[in-house]
Amino acid sequence: MYDVVVIGGGPAGMAATIRAKELGLKVLLLDDNDYLGGILLQCIHPGFGIHYFKEELTGPEFAYRLMNKLDGVEVKTSARVLEIINYSDLEKFVVFTSPEGVQKVSTKTIIYTAGARERHAFEIGIVGDRVAGIYTAGEAQTLMDIYGIMPGKEIVIVGSGDVGLIMARRFSLEGAKVKAVIELMPYPGGLARNIMILKDFNIPLYLSHKVVEVRGRGRVEKIKVVKVDENLREISGTEFWIEADTLVISAGLIPNVKLLTEIGVVIDPSTGGPIVNDRLETSVPGIFVAGNALLINDLVDYVAEQGELAAEGAKEFIENGGIPSKRWIRLVKGENIRLLAPHYLSGERDVWIYARVARPMEDVVVEFVEIGKKIKLPVVKPAEMLRIKLRAKEISKAEDKITMKVVKHE
Amino acid sequence: MDKVKVAIIGAGITGASIARVLSKYENLEVHLIDKNPDVGWGVSKANTAIIHGGYDDDPDKYPMRAKLCIRGNRLWHQWVKELEIPHVWNGALIVALKDEDFKELEVLLERGIRNGVPEMRIVDKDELFKLEPGLTREALGALWVPIVGQIGPIPAVIAIVENAVANGVKTHLETEVRGIKVENGEVRGVETNNGFVEADIIINAAGLYADEIARMAGVDYFEIHPRKGEYWIFDEGIPGPKRVLFPTPTPISKGIVVTTEISGHLMIGPNAQDLPPEEKENTATTREGLEEVWKGAKKLWPQLPPRSKVIRTFAGLRPEPTGGDFIIKAEGEVWGFINVAGIRSPGLTSAPAIAYEVAEIIQRDLGIELVEKKKWNPYRREITHFFALSYEKVNELVKRNPAYGKIVCRCNKVSEGDILEAVERMKFIGVKTPSIDSVKFRTKATTGTCQGSFCRPRIIQILAREYGVSPWEVTLKGKGSEIGIGDVKVLVRGE
Ligand SMILES: Cc1cc2nc3c(=O)[nH]c(=O)nc-3n(C[C@H](O)[C@H](O)[C@H](O)COP(=O)(O)OP(=O)(O)OC[C@H]3O[C@@H](n4cnc5c(N)ncnc54)[C@H](O)[C@@H]3O)c2cc1C
């Protein structure tokens, strides 16, 4: 029996595995790709590891550093988990398939780090012809940076989040013309440093616009764009067409939680990931979650940090035959908080709170109402995850809940 | 004995079925021709996939449809088994929402009785909600047609063609018919972009283009115009009906259906929008059409999921002929030319019956006596689907080929072994241009929750390797839909 089976070999999974090994646990790491690293390997741009390794690395470099610490751990790639069986709080089975066939292993805990999937064209209501040249950003990135394929030469990108902007740069560097980045919201979705890319490469950004239709015969030929009002309703008469051969959809990520929901793990609709306590344990005892399967992160450093935390949770679980019961303090969403995790705090340890605001705001106070904690910030944006440490001392001041809100500084 | 050469134009459900039935005969040499890179990519690709009950078509106005639909339904029961075609026999309810609707249901019941449809009856509210608990509470009753079923339409075409090829039919894919040679009032063959194919009998099963093909033979008494229907398909796990739900029909269409299609996804559609004859390639979805479908479906099934749960929308074109009935006959003025035209709905249902009708026409009207083969093989084995296997069975297959243990499409659990088998079968029926769609229709890869963003790049690698082409030359759906323009440095090099 394993102490921990880690499902997913991206940064969260590798960090969890390394930490679990350091804690003396018997670990098995599974990934369905032929290689470890998850999406890091397709992210050949820099910007990784500033917090975690105190150094700016590319995705593959970050992955490589983690891989080097996996010595002595049992790792299986090309191994797809088919099912998790939650036999009891103390014993679980993981069934996976690989070129060696279907295997079933038993384990005390599971750390689930299966990442996220991208929203696709149909999901965001694009109509028209179903032709070649429509890719999600991650798919385009995989084609270019893992398999060396150039998808097209005249590109329109949907979504000004980091992934969309980075792909705008990637396409430009390879000689393609990025004709527009189309953003539904009235503000850009990416980190400030990535928004600079648009200026660097002279790429027009259309805020408060959406792509509604694609036309072409075999391949994308033209893309219809329309302006939206404050309520995101289309303004008729503002439609225009952009000629392009490629449409890249970067319209957000959704945690991959299917295997978890099959065993009854409770999902938070606002994060799309499970509801967790401060050990990142889900509603099924002994199943922990980290990385983009928990909530969509913007920095890999946070993802790796969550992986380590989950490993520490697993250790505590194994030592105590379960996470000891306590009076959990709920962390609840207040004004201008769109999502947050973890959802339950023990007050026994310091905790990193991850949260996103619903809309951008300047000169604000982040307030944890019941414990009177306030943090001043010059600006908050939905694109930038808030990561705030609450001290055990502070948390234990609360009775049963702590409300997190973001309000204008008076 | 010289063989009679038969050229079938169109490898849709109609042409394929005809090819299968004609492959039974010793004295025929059958050629199946299609302009697309693979079979079933015309009208047969996008439809509601229903094996209809045969109560719908008025035998006075549309005798062919009325006769062939019920006969086709009965034949499908046998064909799906022989050919291992995915199917379900779940029955249909034609739902009355207003008192007046019962009058129409009575008409359908009468018609069904005339057409020979068994087992139909009108059910009251109580029985209706037992049959279909999720139905709108406004329903007053329904016509219950238990013989209705659903199949995978392209899997069906693929299965039929595989069987036909195994029985000696020759396929000519990516072969567009551009002319028909007629001499002394008899057909001689078809001119194509790939040269001339000699033929004593030409069967025009060209779907939307059957009018153009007929004109090539000098037959011009009918026209085909496209009637568009649009659909939504939702993610798995969203509860849908057990039966096929129809509203009470209108004169132009059977109405917007709510159904759980055979892979378990809730599907709604189609509407009916007439397009001008020149828009035979216009399968674009539209906001208006999709909205109409949404509204229509909601009347029967109020619990539609949020829009974010849609995994695909698509549109199909019905080939509507002048007069409205199927046109199935040997044309008197051109000996050897048989029209199988205007095969609109219920063409999928009718296809096996149409095929037997054609065999009869060949004997009766062309006077060719058909000699049955001694060793005709009615069976075809379905491709391996990892998702349908027990774990023990996977392990058996893995011993032979480890690729069966490796998942390529996560959402639908499609293994590399499944895909390699698909490629083998594509090659068996003569698919020359590798496409993602060919793999998709055989394996279900790319049709799940993520719509292929994970597995498409991997499928591209497999297709490139197996077909010996560069990965960027792999297509989505045939030439002109290549997935890339070259290697990643192609633009930087300034080519
Ligand atoms: C929206 C919709 C819903 C439907 N629902 C149902 C249903 O639920 N049940 C049912 O029974 N029926 C249904 N139908 C009808 C059914 O789909 C059709 O009747 C059937 O698929 C017609 O098949 P076909 O083989 O005649 O035509 P096609 O599938 O179009 O085949 C014709 C083939 O001919 C080829 N071709 C054309 N011109 C040339 C040329 N010059 N050279 C070479 N090849 C050529 C085309 O490429 C094509 O592959 C529906 C149809 C639609 C559009």
PDB file of all heavy atoms in Angstrom, chain B residues 10 12-14 34-36 43-44 47-48 50 52 175 177 205 213 231 317-318 343-349, ligand 1:
ATOM      1  N   GLY B  10     -21.855   8.835 -54.705  1.00  0.00           N
ATOM      2  CA  GLY B  10     -22.243   9.261 -53.369  1.00  0.00           C
ATOM      3  C   GLY B  10     -22.100   8.149 -52.350  1.00  0.00           C
ATOM      4  O   GLY B  10     -22.784   7.137 -52.421  1.00  0.00           O
ATOM      5  N   GLY B  12     -22.836   8.306 -49.132  1.00  0.00           N
ATOM      6  CA  GLY B  12     -23.591   8.623 -47.920  1.00  0.00           C
ATOM      7  C   GLY B  12     -24.300   7.357 -47.471  1.00  0.00           C
ATOM      8  O   GLY B  12     -23.998   6.254 -47.947  1.00  0.00           O
ATOM      9  N   ILE B  13     -25.253   7.527 -46.593  1.00  0.00           N
ATOM     10  CA  ILE B  13     -25.955   6.343 -46.092  1.00  0.00           C
ATOM     11  C   ILE B  13     -26.689   5.640 -47.228  1.00  0.00           C
ATOM     12  O   ILE B  13     -26.745   4.407 -47.273  1.00  0.00           O
ATOM     13  CB  ILE B  13     -26.913   6.721 -44.931  1.00  0.00           C
ATOM     14  CG1 ILE B  13     -27.391   5.476 -44.195  1.00  0.00           C
ATOM     15  CG2 ILE B  13     -28.113   7.534 -45.414  1.00  0.00           C
ATOM     16  CD1 ILE B  13     -26.365   4.809 -43.366  1.00  0.00           C
ATOM     17  N   THR B  14     -27.195   6.420 -48.193  1.00  0.00           N
ATOM     18  CA  THR B  14     -27.937   5.823 -49.304  1.00  0.00           C
ATOM     19  C   THR B  14     -27.010   5.034 -50.225  1.00  0.00           C
ATOM     20  O   THR B  14     -27.224   3.844 -50.470  1.00  0.00           O
ATOM     21  CB  THR B  14     -28.649   6.932 -50.116  1.00  0.00           C
ATOM     22  OG1 THR B  14     -29.378   7.759 -49.215  1.00  0.00           O
ATOM     23  CG2 THR B  14     -29.585   6.349 -51.138  1.00  0.00           C
ATOM     24  N   ASP B  34     -17.035   8.928 -54.252  1.00  0.00           N
ATOM     25  CA  ASP B  34     -17.401  10.130 -53.499  1.00  0.00           C
ATOM     26  C   ASP B  34     -16.307  11.182 -53.609  1.00  0.00           C
ATOM     27  O   ASP B  34     -15.124  10.870 -53.636  1.00  0.00           O
ATOM     28  CB  ASP B  34     -17.656   9.827 -52.020  1.00  0.00           C
ATOM     29  CG  ASP B  34     -18.590  10.865 -51.388  1.00  0.00           C
ATOM     30  OD1 ASP B  34     -18.179  12.052 -51.295  1.00  0.00           O
ATOM     31  OD2 ASP B  34     -19.715  10.507 -51.014  1.00  0.00           O
ATOM     32  N   LYS B  35     -16.734  12.439 -53.634  1.00  0.00           N
ATOM     33  CA  LYS B  35     -15.751  13.525 -53.756  1.00  0.00           C
ATOM     34  C   LYS B  35     -15.034  13.796 -52.440  1.00  0.00           C
ATOM     35  O   LYS B  35     -13.941  14.352 -52.428  1.00  0.00           O
ATOM     36  CB  LYS B  35     -16.417  14.788 -54.282  1.00  0.00           C
ATOM     37  CG  LYS B  35     -17.516  15.318 -53.402  1.00  0.00           C
ATOM     38  CD  LYS B  35     -18.154  16.550 -54.050  1.00  0.00           C
ATOM     39  CE  LYS B  35     -19.322  17.020 -53.202  1.00  0.00           C
ATOM     40  NZ  LYS B  35     -20.001  18.180 -53.759  1.00  0.00           N
ATOM     41  N   ASN B  36     -15.637  13.413 -51.337  1.00  0.00           N
ATOM     42  CA  ASN B  36     -14.997  13.662 -50.050  1.00  0.00           C
ATOM     43  C   ASN B  36     -13.876  12.661 -49.786  1.00  0.00           C
ATOM     44  O   ASN B  36     -13.832  11.610 -50.388  1.00  0.00           O
ATOM     45  CB  ASN B  36     -16.044  13.569 -48.928  1.00  0.00           C
ATOM     46  CG  ASN B  36     -16.927  14.805 -48.900  1.00  0.00           C
ATOM     47  OD1 ASN B  36     -16.445  15.918 -49.037  1.00  0.00           O
ATOM     48  ND2 ASN B  36     -18.228  14.595 -48.774  1.00  0.00           N
ATOM     49  N   VAL B  43     -24.775  14.774 -46.362  1.00  0.00           N
ATOM     50  CA  VAL B  43     -25.960  14.951 -45.522  1.00  0.00           C
ATOM     51  C   VAL B  43     -25.928  13.968 -44.341  1.00  0.00           C
ATOM     52  O   VAL B  43     -26.357  14.294 -43.233  1.00  0.00           O
ATOM     53  CB  VAL B  43     -27.238  14.693 -46.360  1.00  0.00           C
ATOM     54  CG1 VAL B  43     -28.478  14.845 -45.492  1.00  0.00           C
ATOM     55  CG2 VAL B  43     -27.297  15.630 -47.559  1.00  0.00           C
ATOM     56  N   SER B  44     -25.392  12.797 -44.602  1.00  0.00           N
ATOM     57  CA  SER B  44     -25.427  11.745 -43.584  1.00  0.00           C
ATOM     58  C   SER B  44     -24.622  12.079 -42.332  1.00  0.00           C
ATOM     59  O   SER B  44     -24.773  11.429 -41.304  1.00  0.00           O
ATOM     60  CB  SER B  44     -24.915  10.436 -44.190  1.00  0.00           C
ATOM     61  OG  SER B  44     -25.684  10.108 -45.316  1.00  0.00           O
ATOM     62  N   ASN B  47     -27.252  14.882 -38.738  1.00  0.00           N
ATOM     63  CA  ASN B  47     -28.708  14.755 -38.682  1.00  0.00           C
ATOM     64  C   ASN B  47     -29.118  14.305 -37.292  1.00  0.00           C
ATOM     65  O   ASN B  47     -28.285  14.224 -36.396  1.00  0.00           O
ATOM     66  CB  ASN B  47     -29.203  13.815 -39.776  1.00  0.00           C
ATOM     67  CG  ASN B  47     -28.510  12.475 -39.720  1.00  0.00           C
ATOM     68  OD1 ASN B  47     -28.500  11.822 -38.700  1.00  0.00           O
ATOM     69  ND2 ASN B  47     -27.892  12.102 -40.830  1.00  0.00           N
ATOM     70  N   THR B  48     -30.395  14.029 -37.124  1.00  0.00           N
ATOM     71  CA  THR B  48     -30.877  13.723 -35.780  1.00  0.00           C
ATOM     72  C   THR B  48     -30.633  12.267 -35.398  1.00  0.00           C
ATOM     73  O   THR B  48     -30.830  11.881 -34.257  1.00  0.00           O
ATOM     74  CB  THR B  48     -32.379  14.070 -35.663  1.00  0.00           C
ATOM     75  OG1 THR B  48     -32.637  15.249 -36.434  1.00  0.00           O
ATOM     76  CG2 THR B  48     -32.774  14.368 -34.241  1.00  0.00           C
ATOM     77  N   ILE B  50     -32.101   9.504 -36.023  1.00  0.00           N
ATOM     78  CA  ILE B  50     -33.243   8.724 -35.553  1.00  0.00           C
ATOM     79  C   ILE B  50     -33.665   7.708 -36.602  1.00  0.00           C
ATOM     80  O   ILE B  50     -33.729   8.004 -37.795  1.00  0.00           O
ATOM     81  CB  ILE B  50     -34.425   9.664 -35.220  1.00  0.00           C
ATOM     82  CG1 ILE B  50     -34.043  10.516 -34.010  1.00  0.00           C
ATOM     83  CG2 ILE B  50     -35.702   8.865 -34.950  1.00  0.00           C
ATOM     84  CD1 ILE B  50     -34.982  11.655 -33.759  1.00  0.00           C
ATOM     85  N   HIS B  52     -36.702   6.402 -37.671  1.00  0.00           N
ATOM     86  CA  HIS B  52     -38.078   6.832 -37.469  1.00  0.00           C
ATOM     87  C   HIS B  52     -39.067   5.673 -37.460  1.00  0.00           C
ATOM     88  O   HIS B  52     -38.749   4.573 -37.895  1.00  0.00           O
ATOM     89  CB  HIS B  52     -38.467   7.831 -38.565  1.00  0.00           C
ATOM     90  CG  HIS B  52     -37.900   9.193 -38.339  1.00  0.00           C
ATOM     91  ND1 HIS B  52     -38.322  10.014 -37.318  1.00  0.00           N
ATOM     92  CD2 HIS B  52     -36.917   9.869 -38.982  1.00  0.00           C
ATOM     93  CE1 HIS B  52     -37.638  11.146 -37.355  1.00  0.00           C
ATOM     94  NE2 HIS B  52     -36.774  11.083 -38.351  1.00  0.00           N
ATOM     95  N   THR B 175     -12.931  11.646 -55.345  1.00  0.00           N
ATOM     96  CA  THR B 175     -13.194  11.518 -56.770  1.00  0.00           C
ATOM     97  C   THR B 175     -14.517  12.205 -57.060  1.00  0.00           C
ATOM     98  O   THR B 175     -15.575  11.731 -56.655  1.00  0.00           O
ATOM     99  CB  THR B 175     -13.263  10.026 -57.158  1.00  0.00           C
ATOM    100  OG1 THR B 175     -12.027   9.414 -56.771  1.00  0.00           O
ATOM    101  CG2 THR B 175     -13.475   9.855 -58.645  1.00  0.00           C
ATOM    102  N   VAL B 177     -17.410  13.486 -59.466  1.00  0.00           N
ATOM    103  CA  VAL B 177     -18.012  13.237 -60.765  1.00  0.00           C
ATOM    104  C   VAL B 177     -18.291  14.575 -61.435  1.00  0.00           C
ATOM    105  O   VAL B 177     -18.922  15.451 -60.850  1.00  0.00           O
ATOM    106  CB  VAL B 177     -19.311  12.416 -60.622  1.00  0.00           C
ATOM    107  CG1 VAL B 177     -20.034  12.321 -61.960  1.00  0.00           C
ATOM    108  CG2 VAL B 177     -18.994  11.044 -60.063  1.00  0.00           C
ATOM    109  N   ALA B 205     -26.748   8.782 -56.185  1.00  0.00           N
ATOM    110  CA  ALA B 205     -27.106   8.906 -54.766  1.00  0.00           C
ATOM    111  C   ALA B 205     -26.325  10.065 -54.168  1.00  0.00           C
ATOM    112  O   ALA B 205     -25.740   9.957 -53.094  1.00  0.00           O
ATOM    113  CB  ALA B 205     -26.801   7.603 -54.026  1.00  0.00           C
ATOM    114  N   ILE B 213     -26.074  16.071 -60.717  1.00  0.00           N
ATOM    115  CA  ILE B 213     -25.652  14.820 -61.362  1.00  0.00           C
ATOM    116  C   ILE B 213     -26.694  14.402 -62.408  1.00  0.00           C
ATOM    117  O   ILE B 213     -26.344  14.012 -63.527  1.00  0.00           O
ATOM    118  CB  ILE B 213     -25.467  13.697 -60.311  1.00  0.00           C
ATOM    119  CG1 ILE B 213     -24.362  14.067 -59.309  1.00  0.00           C
ATOM    120  CG2 ILE B 213     -25.201  12.349 -60.972  1.00  0.00           C
ATOM    121  CD1 ILE B 213     -22.952  14.001 -59.824  1.00  0.00           C
ATOM    122  N   TYR B 231     -28.300  22.225 -34.328  1.00  0.00           N
ATOM    123  CA  TYR B 231     -28.334  21.404 -33.115  1.00  0.00           C
ATOM    124  C   TYR B 231     -27.408  21.940 -32.023  1.00  0.00           C
ATOM    125  O   TYR B 231     -26.395  22.580 -32.313  1.00  0.00           O
ATOM    126  CB  TYR B 231     -27.826  19.993 -33.417  1.00  0.00           C
ATOM    127  CG  TYR B 231     -28.627  19.229 -34.429  1.00  0.00           C
ATOM    128  CD1 TYR B 231     -28.390  19.390 -35.793  1.00  0.00           C
ATOM    129  CD2 TYR B 231     -29.597  18.332 -34.024  1.00  0.00           C
ATOM    130  CE1 TYR B 231     -29.109  18.675 -36.734  1.00  0.00           C
ATOM    131  CE2 TYR B 231     -30.328  17.608 -34.962  1.00  0.00           C
ATOM    132  CZ  TYR B 231     -30.081  17.784 -36.310  1.00  0.00           C
ATOM    133  OH  TYR B 231     -30.798  17.072 -37.231  1.00  0.00           O
ATOM    134  N   LEU B 317     -27.800  19.843 -43.622  1.00  0.00           N
ATOM    135  CA  LEU B 317     -28.665  20.300 -44.715  1.00  0.00           C
ATOM    136  C   LEU B 317     -29.469  19.128 -45.255  1.00  0.00           C
ATOM    137  O   LEU B 317     -28.912  18.126 -45.678  1.00  0.00           O
ATOM    138  CB  LEU B 317     -27.815  20.889 -45.842  1.00  0.00           C
ATOM    139  CG  LEU B 317     -26.983  22.123 -45.493  1.00  0.00           C
ATOM    140  CD1 LEU B 317     -26.121  22.517 -46.690  1.00  0.00           C
ATOM    141  CD2 LEU B 317     -27.866  23.285 -45.068  1.00  0.00           C
ATOM    142  N   ARG B 318     -30.776  19.273 -45.226  1.00  0.00           N
ATOM    143  CA  ARG B 318     -31.635  18.245 -45.808  1.00  0.00           C
ATOM    144  C   ARG B 318     -31.768  18.506 -47.297  1.00  0.00           C
ATOM    145  O   ARG B 318     -32.007  19.643 -47.697  1.00  0.00           O
ATOM    146  CB  ARG B 318     -33.024  18.302 -45.182  1.00  0.00           C
ATOM    147  CG  ARG B 318     -33.064  18.248 -43.666  1.00  0.00           C
ATOM    148  CD  ARG B 318     -34.460  18.665 -43.218  1.00  0.00           C
ATOM    149  NE  ARG B 318     -34.657  18.685 -41.781  1.00  0.00           N
ATOM    150  CZ  ARG B 318     -34.448  19.748 -41.008  1.00  0.00           C
ATOM    151  NH1 ARG B 318     -33.976  20.867 -41.519  1.00  0.00           N
ATOM    152  NH2 ARG B 318     -34.695  19.692 -39.718  1.00  0.00           N
ATOM    153  N   ILE B 343     -33.260  12.419 -51.182  1.00  0.00           N
ATOM    154  CA  ILE B 343     -33.340  11.552 -50.008  1.00  0.00           C
ATOM    155  C   ILE B 343     -33.200  12.418 -48.762  1.00  0.00           C
ATOM    156  O   ILE B 343     -32.171  12.472 -48.116  1.00  0.00           O
ATOM    157  CB  ILE B 343     -32.301  10.406 -50.066  1.00  0.00           C
ATOM    158  CG1 ILE B 343     -32.390   9.672 -51.403  1.00  0.00           C
ATOM    159  CG2 ILE B 343     -32.537   9.443 -48.909  1.00  0.00           C
ATOM    160  CD1 ILE B 343     -33.764   9.065 -51.721  1.00  0.00           C
ATOM    161  N   ARG B 344     -34.277  13.115 -48.490  1.00  0.00           N
ATOM    162  CA  ARG B 344     -34.407  13.948 -47.295  1.00  0.00           C
ATOM    163  C   ARG B 344     -34.800  13.031 -46.146  1.00  0.00           C
ATOM    164  O   ARG B 344     -34.817  11.820 -46.272  1.00  0.00           O
ATOM    165  CB  ARG B 344     -35.472  15.017 -47.558  1.00  0.00           C
ATOM    166  CG  ARG B 344     -36.692  14.320 -48.059  1.00  0.00           C
ATOM    167  CD  ARG B 344     -38.050  14.789 -47.855  1.00  0.00           C
ATOM    168  NE  ARG B 344     -38.434  15.908 -47.122  1.00  0.00           N
ATOM    169  CZ  ARG B 344     -39.165  15.841 -46.019  1.00  0.00           C
ATOM    170  NH1 ARG B 344     -39.472  14.661 -45.491  1.00  0.00           N
ATOM    171  NH2 ARG B 344     -39.596  16.929 -45.456  1.00  0.00           N
ATOM    172  N   SER B 345     -35.161  13.623 -45.031  1.00  0.00           N
ATOM    173  CA  SER B 345     -35.621  12.810 -43.925  1.00  0.00           C
ATOM    174  C   SER B 345     -36.905  12.104 -44.350  1.00  0.00           C
ATOM    175  O   SER B 345     -37.727  12.712 -45.041  1.00  0.00           O
ATOM    176  CB  SER B 345     -35.891  13.707 -42.731  1.00  0.00           C
ATOM    177  OG  SER B 345     -36.115  12.935 -41.594  1.00  0.00           O
ATOM    178  N   PRO B 346     -37.165  10.873 -44.027  1.00  0.00           N
ATOM    179  CA  PRO B 346     -36.371   9.949 -43.205  1.00  0.00           C
ATOM    180  C   PRO B 346     -35.401   9.079 -44.010  1.00  0.00           C
ATOM    181  O   PRO B 346     -35.512   7.851 -44.003  1.00  0.00           O
ATOM    182  CB  PRO B 346     -37.447   9.092 -42.552  1.00  0.00           C
ATOM    183  CG  PRO B 346     -38.505   8.995 -43.632  1.00  0.00           C
ATOM    184  CD  PRO B 346     -38.415  10.255 -44.448  1.00  0.00           C
ATOM    185  N   GLY B 347     -34.425   9.705 -44.650  1.00  0.00           N
ATOM    186  CA  GLY B 347     -33.523   8.958 -45.527  1.00  0.00           C
ATOM    187  C   GLY B 347     -32.623   7.999 -44.784  1.00  0.00           C
ATOM    188  O   GLY B 347     -32.294   6.914 -45.282  1.00  0.00           O
ATOM    189  N   LEU B 348     -32.193   8.412 -43.575  1.00  0.00           N
ATOM    190  CA  LEU B 348     -31.331   7.537 -42.801  1.00  0.00           C
ATOM    191  C   LEU B 348     -32.086   6.253 -42.475  1.00  0.00           C
ATOM    192  O   LEU B 348     -31.575   5.141 -42.637  1.00  0.00           O
ATOM    193  CB  LEU B 348     -30.914   8.267 -41.521  1.00  0.00           C
ATOM    194  CG  LEU B 348     -29.999   7.525 -40.572  1.00  0.00           C
ATOM    195  CD1 LEU B 348     -28.632   7.330 -41.196  1.00  0.00           C
ATOM    196  CD2 LEU B 348     -29.863   8.289 -39.257  1.00  0.00           C
ATOM    197  N   THR B 349     -33.314   6.416 -42.049  1.00  0.00           N
ATOM    198  CA  THR B 349     -34.150   5.268 -41.716  1.00  0.00           C
ATOM    199  C   THR B 349     -34.387   4.403 -42.940  1.00  0.00           C
ATOM    200  O   THR B 349     -34.321   3.173 -42.886  1.00  0.00           O
ATOM    201  CB  THR B 349     -35.520   5.754 -41.199  1.00  0.00           C
ATOM    202  OG1 THR B 349     -35.307   6.764 -40.229  1.00  0.00           O
ATOM    203  CG2 THR B 349     -36.326   4.604 -40.617  1.00  0.00           C
TER     204      THR B 349
HETATM  205  C1  LIG C   1     -31.035  18.232 -40.081  1.00  0.00           C
HETATM  206  C2  LIG C   1     -31.345  16.849 -40.574  1.00  0.00           C
HETATM  207  C3  LIG C   1     -31.977  15.927 -39.742  1.00  0.00           C
HETATM  208  C4  LIG C   1     -32.266  14.653 -40.202  1.00  0.00           C
HETATM  209  N1  LIG C   1     -32.749  13.723 -39.333  1.00  0.00           N
HETATM  210  C5  LIG C   1     -32.988  12.464 -39.769  1.00  0.00           C
HETATM  211  C6  LIG C   1     -33.406  11.452 -38.886  1.00  0.00           C
HETATM  212  O1  LIG C   1     -33.460  11.658 -37.678  1.00  0.00           O
HETATM  213  N2  LIG C   1     -33.738  10.236 -39.379  1.00  0.00           N
HETATM  214  C7  LIG C   1     -33.655   9.968 -40.699  1.00  0.00           C
HETATM  215  O2  LIG C   1     -34.021   8.868 -41.106  1.00  0.00           O
HETATM  216  N3  LIG C   1     -33.196  10.884 -41.559  1.00  0.00           N
HETATM  217  C8  LIG C   1     -32.845  12.121 -41.123  1.00  0.00           C
HETATM  218  N4  LIG C   1     -32.358  13.051 -41.994  1.00  0.00           N
HETATM  219  C9  LIG C   1     -32.198  12.698 -43.385  1.00  0.00           C
HETATM  220  C10 LIG C   1     -30.949  11.893 -43.666  1.00  0.00           C
HETATM  221  O3  LIG C   1     -29.848  12.465 -43.023  1.00  0.00           O
HETATM  222  C11 LIG C   1     -30.704  11.884 -45.158  1.00  0.00           C
HETATM  223  O4  LIG C   1     -31.857  11.459 -45.793  1.00  0.00           O
HETATM  224  C12 LIG C   1     -29.575  10.964 -45.575  1.00  0.00           C
HETATM  225  O5  LIG C   1     -28.430  11.156 -44.799  1.00  0.00           O
HETATM  226  C13 LIG C   1     -29.244  11.171 -47.017  1.00  0.00           C
HETATM  227  O6  LIG C   1     -28.153  10.373 -47.343  1.00  0.00           O
HETATM  228  P1  LIG C   1     -27.579  10.327 -48.809  1.00  0.00           P
HETATM  229  O7  LIG C   1     -26.648   9.203 -48.859  1.00  0.00           O
HETATM  230  O8  LIG C   1     -28.708  10.302 -49.768  1.00  0.00           O
HETATM  231  O9  LIG C   1     -26.868  11.706 -49.016  1.00  0.00           O
HETATM  232  P2  LIG C   1     -25.393  12.136 -48.562  1.00  0.00           P
HETATM  233  O10 LIG C   1     -25.085  11.609 -47.220  1.00  0.00           O
HETATM  234  O11 LIG C   1     -25.281  13.584 -48.795  1.00  0.00           O
HETATM  235  O12 LIG C   1     -24.505  11.392 -49.598  1.00  0.00           O
HETATM  236  C14 LIG C   1     -24.269  11.898 -50.884  1.00  0.00           C
HETATM  237  C15 LIG C   1     -22.791  11.845 -51.179  1.00  0.00           C
HETATM  238  O13 LIG C   1     -22.606  12.191 -52.540  1.00  0.00           O
HETATM  239  C16 LIG C   1     -21.393  12.832 -52.687  1.00  0.00           C
HETATM  240  N5  LIG C   1     -21.375  13.602 -53.932  1.00  0.00           N
HETATM  241  C17 LIG C   1     -22.159  14.622 -54.278  1.00  0.00           C
HETATM  242  N6  LIG C   1     -21.829  15.076 -55.503  1.00  0.00           N
HETATM  243  C18 LIG C   1     -20.817  14.318 -55.946  1.00  0.00           C
HETATM  244  C19 LIG C   1     -20.033  14.307 -57.131  1.00  0.00           C
HETATM  245  N7  LIG C   1     -20.221  15.158 -58.125  1.00  0.00           N
HETATM  246  N8  LIG C   1     -19.064  13.398 -57.251  1.00  0.00           N
HETATM  247  C20 LIG C   1     -18.829  12.523 -56.253  1.00  0.00           C
HETATM  248  N9  LIG C   1     -19.526  12.496 -55.101  1.00  0.00           N
HETATM  249  C21 LIG C   1     -20.530  13.375 -54.957  1.00  0.00           C
HETATM  250  C22 LIG C   1     -21.347  13.703 -51.455  1.00  0.00           C
HETATM  251  O14 LIG C   1     -20.035  14.063 -51.154  1.00  0.00           O
HETATM  252  C23 LIG C   1     -21.973  12.805 -50.388  1.00  0.00           C
HETATM  253  O15 LIG C   1     -20.988  12.115 -49.648  1.00  0.00           O
HETATM  254  C24 LIG C   1     -31.993  14.317 -41.539  1.00  0.00           C
HETATM  255  C25 LIG C   1     -31.335  15.238 -42.349  1.00  0.00           C
HETATM  256  C26 LIG C   1     -30.974  16.462 -41.867  1.00  0.00           C
HETATM  257  C27 LIG C   1     -30.176  17.391 -42.699  1.00  0.00           C
END
